[in-house]
Amino acid sequence: MNKSQELFEKAKKIIPGGVNSPVRAFRSVGGTPFFTKKALGAKLTTADETELIDYVCTWGPAIHGHDHPQIREAISKALHHGTSFGTPGPDEVEMAELLVDLVPSVEKVRMCNSGTEATMSCIRLARGFTGRSKIIKFAGCYHGHVDSLLVKAGSGALTFGNPDSAGIPESFARETIVLPYNDLSVVKSALSQNDNQVAAIIVEPYPANCGFILPKDGYLEGLRKICSENKVILIFDEVMTGFRISLGGVQQRTGITPDLTAMGKIIGGGLPVGAFGGKSDIMDYLAPLGPVYQAGTLSGNPLAMAAGIASLKLLKESTPYDFLDELGKQFSTGVKNIADQYSIPLQVPQVGSMFSLFFSEKPVHNLEDALASNADQFKHIFQICLKNGVYLPPSAYETCFISTAHEKKDITNSLEKLEKAFSAI
Ligand code: HOZ
C-alpha cells in the first residue's frame, strides 16, 4: 500500500467516503485518489512524491498555477494584520472596485465564502426582488450544493448517478423547473405555462459541469431577450468561467449582460471566496438596505481578499488570455489528431484554458448528448494518463483547466502520454 492509499484508508474511517467533496473520491474513474503533498506552478506532488502535470487547477481557481509568488506574498503580508476582523476592511472596498470594473454587468457586489453561497444568494435575491418563487435551471448545470439547485445537477452529483440529491423536500424541488440547455423553445413554453411565477433563470453560460458545453448561436441572446420580456431575472453562474474565459467572463466575451452574476474560484486566489453582483436596483434589495437577508462572519475575510486582489491584479496586468488560448488549442487540436489517428470518435470543445473530452461521434449540445458519450473510454484514458504523470479531472463530466504556469512543453509531454493511452484503447 502506498502513502496515498494508507491516508485514504485512515480517512475513510472518519470522513464520509474519505473525502471532503465527492468528486475527489475517484469513484467514476476507479481506483483510489492520490493525496497531494504540495503544489507548485503547473504540477502537483503526491504524498508518494510523484509529480503530476495538473489539468484540474484546483477545479479552476489556480489560473496562475499553484503557489504563485505574488499571491503568496499578498497573503503573508495580510497575515501580519490579523486573520479576521468581523468589521468592514479596506481590502473589501478594493475588491468590490475591481469586480465592478472588470465584470460588465456588475454595478454593486457582495462578498461571500463560496460559489454555492453566491448562487444561493442570487436565487434568494431574485425571489425577493420579483416576489415570485419558481426558478428555471438547465439539466447538467451545477450551481453548487444549494437545495433548490441540486436538481438534475452536474459535477459530482452527476458523476455518482445522483443528479437529484436525497434530502431535498419535494416541495422545494417543485419550485425548480429543469429544462434542457441550448433549446429556447422549451424556455418559452415553460414561462407561458408558469405565467408570472418565475423569478429567475440561472445558467452556466458555458456549462462546465457535464463536460464543457458551448451555447448554440443566438442561445444566450435568446435567454436575455426572453428574460427581459417576462421580467425574469437572468443569473449567469460565472463561478467557473469568470475571469477565465476573459477578464470579464462569458458576459464580456459575448456582450450579453445578465441581471445578476455569481462568482467564485479565481476571485479567491486559492482561498475560499464567492461573490455575487449585478444591477444596483436589485442589489439594493439586500439587507441592510432591503428586505432580503444575506450575511457571513467570514465574508470579505482579509486573507481571502488579499489573495483574490493579487490574483485579479495579475490577470489585469498580464492579460494572459491569448497565451492560455494558444495552450488550450495546442492541447485540443493535439488530442483530436491523436484520436483521428486511432479512429476514436472524440469531441473537444475548447475556449481559452477550458476544454473537455467527450468520446462521442457528434457534437455535444446538452446533458443528454454528454451522457451518450463513452465514459468508459474516458476512464481508461484518465488512468493511463495518471500512471504517466498527467492528472486529468477524475470524471468524464468535469472540465480541464490550464494555467499560465503551464508551458508548451507540458502540453507536448501530456500529448505523448495521451497518445500512449489512445493506442491502448
Ligand atoms: N465545483 C467543482 C466543479 N465541478 C467541483 C469541485 C467539488 O465539487 O469539489
Side-chain angles (χ1 to χ4, degrees):
M1 216 187 259
N2 66 25
K3 278 214 175 100
S4 283
Q5 287 162 338
E6 273 172 29
L7 283 165
F8 193 49
E9 286 310 309
K10 272 196 200 171
K12 279 195 293 189
K13 295 191 181 122
I14 43 177
I15 302 173
V19 290
N20 281 315
S21 196
V23 281
R24 297 179 195 172
F26 278 30
R27 288 275 181 99
S28 72
V29 286
T32 54
F34 64 84
F35 280 58
T36 302
K37 184 173 151 189
K38 62 180 184 197
L40 184 67
K43 313 247 167 64
L44 300 178
T45 306
T46 72
D48 296 283
E49 301 296 341
T50 303
E51 213 173 65
L52 302 170
I53 303 177
D54 180 18
Y55 291 100
V56 181
C57 291
T58 183
W59 304 96
I63 192 163
H64 305 291
H66 297 283
D67 200 16
H68 190 282
Q70 268 168 262
I71 299 179
R72 192 190 328 127
E73 200 190 314
I75 298 172
S76 35
K77 248 191 188 162
L79 199 51
H80 290 289
H81 297 138
T83 56
S84 175
F85 306 143
T87 72
D91 282 357
E92 292 169 71
V93 184
E94 186 174 358
M95 173 61 102
E97 279 172 348
L98 267 169
L99 296 177
V100 167
D101 175 36
L102 297 178
V103 187
S105 68
V106 172
E107 294 170 2
K108 283 196 176 177
V109 64
R110 170 74 56 89
M111 300 310 297
C112 53
N113 300 291
S114 68
T116 293
E117 280 188 33
T119 57
M120 177 182 78
S121 305
C122 284
I123 295 294
R124 185 180 307 139
L125 184 52
R127 284 177 165 151
F129 185 76
T130 58
R132 302 171 179 175
S133 58
K134 287 194 194 293
I135 52 168
I136 290 177
K137 81 171 281 285
F138 298 97
C141 283
Y142 174 75
H143 306 287
H145 58 103
V146 180
D147 276 353
S148 55
L149 297 174
L150 213 46
V151 187
K152 294 269 177 292
S155 191
L158 186 61
T159 305
F160 305 118
N162 265 335
D164 305 291
S165 170
I168 296 172
E170 270 274 325
S171 54
F172 286 25
R174 267 203 300 275
E175 301 296 339
T176 305
I177 300 164
V178 186
L179 302 174
Y181 181 77
N182 257 332
D183 181 351
L184 289 173
S185 66
V186 290
V187 180
K188 285 181 195 153
S189 43
L191 284 173
S192 67
Q193 279 160 29
N194 295 275
D195 197 23
N196 277 320
Q197 295 177 64
V198 176
I201 294 181
I202 184 165
V203 64
E204 291 182 77
Y206 292 178
N209 283 288
C210 46
F212 188 51
I213 296 180
L214 293 170
K216 289 184 182 166
D217 279 350
Y219 180 68
L220 294 176
E221 288 90 330
L223 283 184
R224 175 64 278 176
K225 188 161 176 277
I226 293 170
C227 283
S228 301
E229 285 167 358
N230 291 276
K231 297 194 169 36
V232 169
I233 306 286
L234 178 61
I235 305 169
F236 273 9
D237 177 347
E238 293 233 48
V239 170
M240 291 173 91
T241 51
F243 315 97
R244 190 168 262 287
I245 287 298
S246 77
L247 205 43
V250 174
Q251 55 196 272
Q252 184 185 39
R253 186 170 195 263
T254 59
I256 296 156
T257 310
D259 301 301
L260 290 175
T261 301
M263 294 164 270
K265 304 221 190 251
I266 287 176
I267 54 167
L271 295 190
V273 178
F276 60 102
K279 295 191 174 144
S280 295
D281 57 337
I282 307 179
M283 291 301 288
D284 285 347
Y285 250 64
L286 284 176
L289 292 180
V292 175
Y293 199 73
Q294 188 279 338
T297 300
L298 290 170
S299 297
N301 173 270
L303 292 189
M305 293 304 95
I309 290 168
S311 170
L312 293 180
K313 279 189 172 163
L314 267 169
L315 287 176
K316 241 181 121 170
E317 283 154 18
S318 59
T319 51
Y321 298 99
D322 287 345
F323 170 68
L324 288 170
D325 191 49
E326 218 179 288
L327 293 187
K329 287 207 165 64
Q330 187 192 346
F331 196 114
S332 58
T333 52
V335 70
K336 188 80 184 74
N337 287 340
I338 296 169
D340 288 349
Q341 194 185 318
Y342 292 99
S343 306
I344 295 165
L346 182 74
Q347 306 291 325
V348 194
Q350 172 259 335
V351 178
S353 55
M354 295 175 83
F355 60 92
S356 71
L357 310 180
F358 288 113
F359 289 87
S360 166
E361 301 265 1
K362 52 182 188 105
V364 172
H365 296 301
N366 53 34
L367 175 64
E368 206 188 339
D369 296 341
L371 291 176
S373 69
N374 189 333
D376 283 340
Q377 282 182 338
F378 180 85
K379 185 172 164 178
H380 166 90
I381 296 288
F382 171 87
Q383 286 297 351
I384 298 191
C385 282
L386 187 61
K387 280 190 191 92
N388 287 281
V390 175
Y391 178 45
L392 297 174
S395 159
Y397 309 115
E398 297 286 353
T399 290
C400 304
F401 295 96
I402 295 175
S403 77
T404 57
H406 285 76
E407 296 177 48
K408 283 192 170 170
K409 64 173 194 250
D410 293 319
I411 312 287
T412 309
N413 177 336
S414 305
L415 290 170
E416 279 165 23
K417 307 300 156 44
L418 278 153
E419 148 109 82
K420 193 167 171 175
F422 274 80
S423 73
I425 278 188

